[in-house]
Amino acid sequence: AAHGRDLSFLLEICIDRIAPDAALAALHPDWFVHADDGAAFCFLSEVDPATEWWCERLAAWQDLGIDGFRCEAAHRVPATVWARLIAAARQTGPASCFVASTFGATPPDLVGLEHCGFDFALTSSCWWDGVAPWIVDDLDRIGMIAAVATLAVPPHHAGPVSGRALSLAGFLGNLWILNASAVGDRTE
């Protein structure tokens, strides 16, 4: 029904880490380095087994109707891995959309992401107070990766969306994303 209304489904993926007790970590311990925040994938190259596993996962999700992916912490994955994953996904679905999320990244963290094939990169504008000058630098950095996209509200926001937030998202970005949790229950 959503596709019939020209809506697309983006799946949020976090490919740099998984829960330390995940079955995949036990099945392939050589793919991971364990840290305090979970088991981090140890990507060795764009053709290693972990990268190929991710190519298969993305293709499976595309076969289920997923139109694209919001790539959480894109700066924590080697650019060559992203280039391989995006190219493989576009073999399955040429119109697949990839959105880089780089919240908290420093300028050196972003090096290389501009050549990976991302369609959009998210700004931090959903946290902007409307006054602070950091937004200009943020837009410049993010715009070097791909076309600017914005979130209408911060991730995991559960309250209503303000008109100001929607206006800002529409003004700043070529694409804006509204989290399903921000929409609320509309069954009444």
Side-chain angles (χ1 to χ4, degrees):
H3 284 126
R5 295 177 185 244
D6 291 328
L7 294 175
S8 298
F9 288 103
L10 296 182
L11 180 65
E12 182 175 336
I13 59 173
C14 184
I15 73 164
D16 70 308
R17 63 193 177 283
I18 63 171
D21 59 348
L24 187 63
L27 189 61
H28 297 286
D30 55 318
W31 291 5
F32 300 95
V33 175
H34 294 275
D36 291 339
D37 65 344
F41 276 91
C42 181
F43 293 107
L44 301 176
S45 74
E46 64 276 10
V47 293
D48 71 11
T51 303
E52 292 308 312
W53 183 86
W54 273 109
C55 286
E56 292 168 10
R57 291 299 323 132
L58 296 180
W61 286 325
Q62 289 174 294
D63 289 344
L64 293 173
I66 298 299
D67 301 301
F69 302 93
R70 178 179 174 261
C71 307
E72 182 68 26
H75 58 288
R76 293 175 54 165
V77 175
T80 55
V81 171
W82 279 123
R84 168 75 176 103
L85 294 175
I86 292 170
R90 294 218 168 107
Q91 291 292 317
T92 302
S96 296
C97 180
F98 281 81
V99 180
S101 176
T102 59
F103 302 137
T106 63
D109 292 335
L110 304 178
V111 173
L113 291 180
E114 69 273 12
H115 303 295
C116 296
F118 284 106
D119 299 288
F120 299 96
L122 287 170
T123 71
S124 297
S125 61
C126 56
W127 289 284
W128 187 44
D129 64 4
V131 178
W134 62 261
I135 191 70
V136 175
D137 291 334
D138 187 58
L139 290 169
D140 286 344
R141 280 194 309 273
I142 296 306
M144 294 181 74
I145 297 170
V148 172
T150 60
L151 291 174
V153 293
H156 313 294
H157 175 84
V161 181
S162 72
R164 178 189 162 280
L166 289 175
S167 295
L168 179 64
F171 176 74
L172 289 179
N174 299 297
L175 166 82
W176 62 270
I177 298 171
L178 181 61
N179 306 339
S181 63
V183 176
D185 184 7
R186 301 285 189 236
T187 59
E188 301 171 1

